Amino acid sequence: MSTWGCGARALAETALDEVDQAHPEYSTARLLRYALRAGLPPRECEPTPEWEGFRV
């Protein structure tokens, strides 16, 4: 989420609220909200080379 990366935490929360309303089953949004509220820096959530080719 670019808003989180830019330091706009409130805007990131608002975006996640909209995702929750549109797609409540979207688990990535729940994970992002958890990381955001836990105070995890965005750079800690960036994909790493180990993620290459990972599919759920």
Side-chain angles (χ1 to χ4, degrees):
M1 290 181 56
S2 62
T3 54
W4 180 22
C6 294
R9 299 174 71 89
L11 188 55
E13 283 277 356
T14 301
L16 288 170
D17 289 343
E18 290 185 22
V19 171
D20 283 343
Q21 288 180 359
H23 302 282
E25 72 286 348
Y26 189 52
S27 61
T28 302
R30 287 192 302 270
L31 290 172
L32 285 171
R33 187 182 303 274
Y34 180 79
L36 179 69
R37 290 183 177 174
L40 195 64
R43 68 183 171 279
E44 296 294 326
C45 296
E46 292 178 2
T48 63
E50 292 82 18
W51 291 25
E52 181 99 17
F54 179 74
R55 299 285 183 253
V56 176

